[in-house]
């Protein structure tokens, strides 16, 4: 009886051991399947030039580093180098792949490298950003704080795509509709008869700007509670982060043209009426934007600048996102952006970026045929603004000029 009992114990232990082996083995070979069912899918890990070690990791309590390790497991199924072996596809397998949708399958392998001048341009922009963040002559509020000290509501411009491992900080008036469209397509949050939408321009405008379409950092709290900040930092470390900027003064002209030269009821009531009352001697401005347009009343560009310079404006509420400084929207000294696009070189930058993200065969950046606000009109626009006000305005936006390498507009400021 003793031996048969021993035998049974052996059989049970042996089976348990085999099951364990199978599980471990399955985890290894099945890694690419596993992440399909997890909320965080792997992003292509693009080699970050100098890995910026943030000090927070050393202070992380041990239970958090466990979570870190757990999350990393899903984030790093492969190295993601362009030399990764491409799975050999038979037509049968590719059908199955379509069906199950394995993101890595769609990565395009380029034979020719990105043009050296484009890479050099990015290097320069990123280096400049780091230098300016370290340079004490560039001063702005919140520059010295750590990422942990940034309030939740100020992280509402960071859109996260877990499927490809991308974080986009959107800056209104800098091609943000088109980049938001691309983020919607990449995240596959918009389905057409069960098939993800693939054409950026087919996404209607109101949907593009509906915040329910985008998973932004400030929504992490709802989903992850007290682990939110930690998870954000893990994603910031692993994902490719990008933003697009443009000349700050030209951005203001563009905002003015778009919000006050065109009929916009919302902006008319929230801002134009205030400007008319305060700076245009109109105690009772027209009640609606249609009435205002009918009698030809709207705030001038100079009124708009006056509004921006008025200390009262910021006291009432923070600048609207269309004219809020990029350093306040995107926290470039806390977030180590991998790619800094300029609207002035939008097409080249978009092509470079989509390639760097390795999604250039999934989406194309829509070419714009709209009449973009051009910097050559800057002098004309500012001709109605007193020189003193222009200099004040420069001070307000100086960090954006310096962080992103836009020259001080001397011809406008030294008159
Ligand atoms: C899939 O494979 C089977 C057998 O391997 C073959 O008979 C069939 O024609 C293949 N289907 C396609 C679409 O190639
Ligand atoms: C900081 O910026 C100023 C003004 O552009 C420049 O003169 C100075 O050399 C910079 N300092 C450092 C440490 O780079
Ligand atoms: C940031 O820190 C530097 C020194 O570390 C200090 O000189 C500077 O005044 C600080 N800036 C702000 C805005 O607090
Ligand atoms: C945004 O989309 C959600 C759901 O798709 C909808 O309920 C909501 O009304 C939309 N908001 C706006 C401002 O259109
Ligand atoms: C764009 O608009 C400006 C004035 O608003 C006009 O002078 C210019 O000719 C336009 N350019 C094009 C290409 O339509």
């Amino acid at each position: 009886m003793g031996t048969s009992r021993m035998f049974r114990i052996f059989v049970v232990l042996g089976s348990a051991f085999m099951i364990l082996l199978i599980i471990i083995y399955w985890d290894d070979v099945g890694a690419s399947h596993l992440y399909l069912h997890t909320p965080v899918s792997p992003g292509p890990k693009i080699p970050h030039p100098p890995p910026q070690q943030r000090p927070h990791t050393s202070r992380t309590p041990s239970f958090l580093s466990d979570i870190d390790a757990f999350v990393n497991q899903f984030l790093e199924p492969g190295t993601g180098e362009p030399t990764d072996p491409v799975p050999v596809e038979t037509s049968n397998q590719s059908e199955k792949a379509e069906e199950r949708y394995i993101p890595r399958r769609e990565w395009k392998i380029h034979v020719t490298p990105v043009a050296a001048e484009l890479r050099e341009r990015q290097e320069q922009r990123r280096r400049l950003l780091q230098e300016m963040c370290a340079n004490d002559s560039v001063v702005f509020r919140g520059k010295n704080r750590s990422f942990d000290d940034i309030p939740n509501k100020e992280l509402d411009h960071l859109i996260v795509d877990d499927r490809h491992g991308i974080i986009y900080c959107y800056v209104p008036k800098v091609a943000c509709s088109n980049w938001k469209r691309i983020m919607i397509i990449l995240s596959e949050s918009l389905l057409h008869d069960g098939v993800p939408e693939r054409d950026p321009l087919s996404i209607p405008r109101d949907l593009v700007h509906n915040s329910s379409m985008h998973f932004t950092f400030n929504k992490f709290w709802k989903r992850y509670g007290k682990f939110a900040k930690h998870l954000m930092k893990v994603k910031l470390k692993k994902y490719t982060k990008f933003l697009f900027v443009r000349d700050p003064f030209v951005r203001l002209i563009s905002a003015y043209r778009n919000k006050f030269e065109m009929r916009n009821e919302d902006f008319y009531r929230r801002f134009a009426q205030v400007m008319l009352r305060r700076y245009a001697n109109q105690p009772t401005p027209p009640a609606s934007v249609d009435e205002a347009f009918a009698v030809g009343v709207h705030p001038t560009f100079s009124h708009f600048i006056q509004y921006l310079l008025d200390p009262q404006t910021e006291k009432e509420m923070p600048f609207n996102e269309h004219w809020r400084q990029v350093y306040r929207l995107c926290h470039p000294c806390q977030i180590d952006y991998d790619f800094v696009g300029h609207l002035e070189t939008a097409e080249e930058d978009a092509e470079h970026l989509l390639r760097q993200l390795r999604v250039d065969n999934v989406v194309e950046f829509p070419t714009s045929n709209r009449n973009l606000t051009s910097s050559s009109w800057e002098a004309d626009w500012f001709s109605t603004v007193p020189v003193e006000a222009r200099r004040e305005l420069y001070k307000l936006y100086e960090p954006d000029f310096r962080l992103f390498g836009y020259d001080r507009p001397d011809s406008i400021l030294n008159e």
Side-chain angles (χ1 to χ4, degrees), residues 175-398:
C176 98
S177 305
N178 281 341
W179 284 110
K180 279 182 173 178
R181 286 187 164 102
I182 286 178
M183 292 304 281
I184 289 175
I185 286 178
L186 291 180
S187 67
E188 304 197 346
S189 49
L190 186 64
L191 301 180
H192 248 297
D193 306 324
V195 180
E197 178 63 66
R198 284 287 173 116
D199 175 18
L201 290 179
S202 69
I203 307 174
R205 250 197 115 64
D206 49 345
L207 206 55
V208 169
H209 294 289
N210 185 328
S211 67
S212 72
M213 289 304 297
H214 301 284
F215 189 48
T216 47
F217 261 5
N218 62 323
K219 295 182 186 166
F220 271 51
W221 266 264
K222 227 182 259 168
R223 194 181 280 192
Y224 301 109
K226 63 180 175 177
F227 297 120
K229 208 88 183 196
H230 184 75
L231 193 59
M232 275 179 207
K233 287 199 284 197
V234 172
K235 292 190 182 194
L236 281 173
K237 203 154 54 170
K238 303 283 172 195
Y239 288 6
T240 306
K241 307 156 290 292
F242 77 95
L243 82 170
F244 268 75
V245 297
R246 79 193 289 184
D247 181 290
F249 277 5
V250 180
R251 179 169 166 239
L252 290 179
I253 298 171
S254 174
Y256 172 80
R257 288 180 69 207
N258 184 245
K259 298 300 172 202
F260 302 111
E261 278 198 338
M262 301 213 222
R263 285 175 207 235
N264 186 318
E265 189 67 43
D266 184 38
F267 276 74
Y268 178 76
R269 285 171 189 269
R270 281 162 68 200
F271 306 105
Q273 283 188 335
V274 177
M275 294 176 207
L276 292 171
R277 247 183 250 124
R278 282 200 206 147
Y279 319 117
N281 249 334
Q282 297 215 16
T284 51
S288 73
V289 73
D290 285 338
E291 284 175 38
F293 269 66
V295 292
V297 168
H298 61 82
T300 63
F301 185 61
S302 189
H303 293 147
F304 175 55
I305 302 303
Q306 229 177 319
Y307 172 79
L308 297 178
L309 295 176
D310 192 337
Q312 190 65 28
T313 304
E314 280 274 351
K315 268 191 210 137
E316 285 163 357
M317 59 173 151
F319 272 9
N320 176 273
E321 60 174 7
H322 291 85
W323 44 86
R324 198 181 308 162
Q325 295 89 334
V326 178
Y327 71 82
R328 294 166 69 187
L329 294 171
C330 295
H331 318 289
C333 290
Q334 283 80 24
I335 296 173
D336 179 27
Y337 285 97
D338 301 281
F339 191 98
V340 181
H342 281 197
L343 193 71
E344 292 80 3
T345 52
E347 280 182 27
E348 280 173 355
D349 286 353
E351 203 183 318
H352 181 188
L353 173 63
L354 291 177
R355 216 181 126 162
Q356 182 169 330
L357 299 172
R358 272 180 276 162
V359 295
D360 52 334
N361 52 342
V362 184
V363 276
E364 230 178 85
F365 188 73
T367 48
S368 170
N369 49 11
R370 283 168 55 202
N371 193 345
L372 286 177
T373 304
S374 142
S375 52
S376 59
W377 315 339
E378 212 176 326
D380 284 347
W381 278 93
F382 278 94
S383 63
T384 58
V385 180
V387 175
E388 199 42 52
R390 300 179 204 172
R391 293 192 187 136
E392 286 291 308
L393 191 69
Y394 178 71
K395 272 190 226 152
L396 209 52
Y397 287 87
E398 184 174 7

Side-chain angles (χ1 to χ4, degrees), residues 136 138-144:
D136 287 339
V138 180
V139 184
F140 55 86
R141 214 170 50 155
K143 185 185 178 189
N144 285 355

